[in-house]
Amino acid sequence: KERVKMERLSKVYPNGTVAVQDVNVSISEGEFLCFVGPSGCGKSTIFKMITGLSSPTDGTLHVMGTSPKQARKQSDTAFVFQEHTLLPWMSIIDNVGLPLALRGASRKERRQEAERVLELVGLKDYTKSMPRQLSGGMKMRASIARALVSKPKLLLMDEPFAALDEITRQTLQRELLDIWSKDKEMTVLFITHNVFEAVFLSTRIVVMTPRPGKVAAIESVRVPFP
Ligand code: ADP
Ligand code: ADP
């Protein structure tokens, strides 16, 4: 089953910058695929197109069998960004349950499901905390929990661990692999400029080069470390 399909995907910004040129990549169910490359190679541009925030200037892009804008509205697609996106005035459990609240889930279901994913990311003792009371790594864990709460089939992550210290990053990488390896249907598309991170995490790596942003190589990696 194809989760993301890019065909001759290209993006030229209005000022003439060719940010992405002729990218052909298909991502299947269950893959953990990393886009890796130096600053300026078009990673964020690809991410913005997949999340429907920016439109391709050429080629086609399908996400979960539909358009990126449509996919964004579906609960089977979830995002995690470099910055946590928790709402500061809501407790951790309310933040994490928010996607379910927006879909009209009952209070009980929200609490149960939020507790389930908070346990997965090691935050079960912090359900009543406010975001400002948590460290950077814990806020990122909570953001990941919120992405997982609606049981997404496609998890899109843009440099989620870039702002964390090395130790926290390694811990969260392991936790993410653990969560992914327990769900055979979950596909992860992960963007990073860190080659080590890409090799450690992925089943397949897409290496990008800048000016213009092109695919330099696509390599299969061993099944990631469990
Ligand atoms: P990365 O995320 O890999 O650092 P980007 O996708 O941000 O790469 O950028 C790819 C190229 O497109 C760079 O040359 C960048 O300066 C340029 N760029 C990014 N966003 C815009 C924009 N909105 N308008 C014009 N050029 C842009
Ligand atoms: P869309 O494709 O949906 O029309 P864009 O991604 O082209 O939207 O727009 C992104 C915005 O970022 C534009 O308003 C653009 O002017 C602005 N921008 C211009 N140059 C850069 C740059 N080098 N890096 C980041 N943003 C830029």
Side-chain angles (χ1 to χ4, degrees), residues 11 13-15 48 53-55:
K11 173 77 181 187
Y13 282 108
N15 67 359
K48 278 191 254 171
L53 298 176
S54 177
S55 1

Tab-separated table of all heavy atoms in Angstrom, residues 11 13-15 48 53-55, ligand 2:
chain	number	residue	atom	x	y	z
A	11	LYS	N	9.461	22.201	-7.023
A	11	LYS	CA	8.996	23.468	-6.451
A	11	LYS	C	9.980	24.576	-6.818
A	11	LYS	O	11.154	24.531	-6.452
A	11	LYS	CB	8.918	23.357	-4.929
A	11	LYS	CG	8.613	24.677	-4.214
A	11	LYS	CD	7.155	25.057	-4.312
A	11	LYS	CE	6.850	26.378	-3.637
A	11	LYS	NZ	5.402	26.649	-3.593
A	13	TYR	N	10.277	28.566	-6.206
A	13	TYR	CA	9.659	29.677	-5.482
A	13	TYR	C	9.497	30.876	-6.417
A	13	TYR	O	10.173	30.975	-7.443
A	13	TYR	CB	10.505	30.032	-4.258
A	13	TYR	CG	10.295	29.065	-3.107
A	13	TYR	CD1	11.286	28.149	-2.755
A	13	TYR	CD2	9.100	29.050	-2.396
A	13	TYR	CE1	11.083	27.250	-1.714
A	13	TYR	CE2	8.891	28.154	-1.355
A	13	TYR	CZ	9.875	27.258	-1.022
A	13	TYR	OH	9.661	26.366	0.004
A	14	PRO	N	8.593	31.788	-6.041
A	14	PRO	CA	8.322	32.941	-6.920
A	14	PRO	C	9.588	33.739	-7.273
A	14	PRO	O	9.662	34.340	-8.344
A	14	PRO	CB	7.353	33.793	-6.097
A	14	PRO	CG	6.675	32.834	-5.196
A	14	PRO	CD	7.695	31.778	-4.877
A	15	ASN	N	10.603	33.721	-6.393
A	15	ASN	CA	11.836	34.460	-6.699
A	15	ASN	C	12.777	33.689	-7.627
A	15	ASN	O	13.896	34.125	-7.873
A	15	ASN	CB	12.561	34.836	-5.395
A	15	ASN	CG	13.109	33.614	-4.655
A	15	ASN	OD1	12.942	32.477	-5.099
A	15	ASN	ND2	13.776	33.866	-3.551
A	48	LYS	N	6.732	20.813	3.614
A	48	LYS	CA	5.599	21.758	3.495
A	48	LYS	C	4.621	21.321	2.406
A	48	LYS	O	3.414	21.508	2.541
A	48	LYS	CB	6.116	23.170	3.199
A	48	LYS	CG	6.570	23.908	4.448
A	48	LYS	CD	6.813	25.369	4.157
A	48	LYS	CE	8.301	25.660	4.118
A	48	LYS	NZ	8.625	26.999	3.637
A	53	LEU	N	0.989	22.766	3.071
A	53	LEU	CA	1.204	24.189	3.361
A	53	LEU	C	1.815	24.936	2.189
A	53	LEU	O	1.903	26.158	2.190
A	53	LEU	CB	2.118	24.339	4.584
A	53	LEU	CG	1.583	23.760	5.888
A	53	LEU	CD1	2.611	23.882	6.996
A	53	LEU	CD2	0.279	24.443	6.285
A	54	SER	N	2.285	24.222	1.208
A	54	SER	CA	2.897	24.833	0.038
A	54	SER	C	2.562	23.938	-1.154
A	54	SER	O	2.463	22.719	-0.992
A	54	SER	CB	4.415	24.913	0.254
A	54	SER	OG	5.049	25.431	-0.876
A	55	SER	N	2.320	24.539	-2.308
A	55	SER	CA	1.898	23.706	-3.436
A	55	SER	C	3.061	23.461	-4.398
A	55	SER	O	3.876	24.352	-4.627
A	55	SER	CB	0.749	24.373	-4.181
A	55	SER	OG	0.430	25.607	-3.590
B	2	ADP	P1	2.754	28.598	-1.822
B	2	ADP	O1	3.624	27.652	-2.576
B	2	ADP	O2	1.694	27.923	-1.009
B	2	ADP	O3	2.190	29.681	-2.685
B	2	ADP	P2	5.300	29.563	-0.746
B	2	ADP	O4	5.877	28.383	-0.042
B	2	ADP	O5	5.796	29.870	-2.103
B	2	ADP	O6	3.720	29.375	-0.756
B	2	ADP	O7	5.461	30.884	0.168
B	2	ADP	C1	6.309	30.972	1.276
B	2	ADP	C2	6.571	32.428	1.714
B	2	ADP	O8	7.962	32.606	2.186
B	2	ADP	C3	6.432	33.412	0.581
B	2	ADP	O9	5.613	34.440	1.014
B	2	ADP	C4	7.832	33.880	0.278
B	2	ADP	O10	7.808	35.233	-0.106
B	2	ADP	C5	8.573	33.761	1.594
B	2	ADP	N1	10.079	33.655	1.311
B	2	ADP	C6	10.723	34.265	0.295
B	2	ADP	N2	12.010	33.957	0.244
B	2	ADP	C7	12.261	33.103	1.251
B	2	ADP	C8	13.426	32.380	1.701
B	2	ADP	N3	14.604	32.458	1.106
B	2	ADP	N4	13.285	31.564	2.765
B	2	ADP	C9	12.099	31.459	3.370
B	2	ADP	N5	10.969	32.112	2.998
B	2	ADP	C10	11.041	32.926	1.928
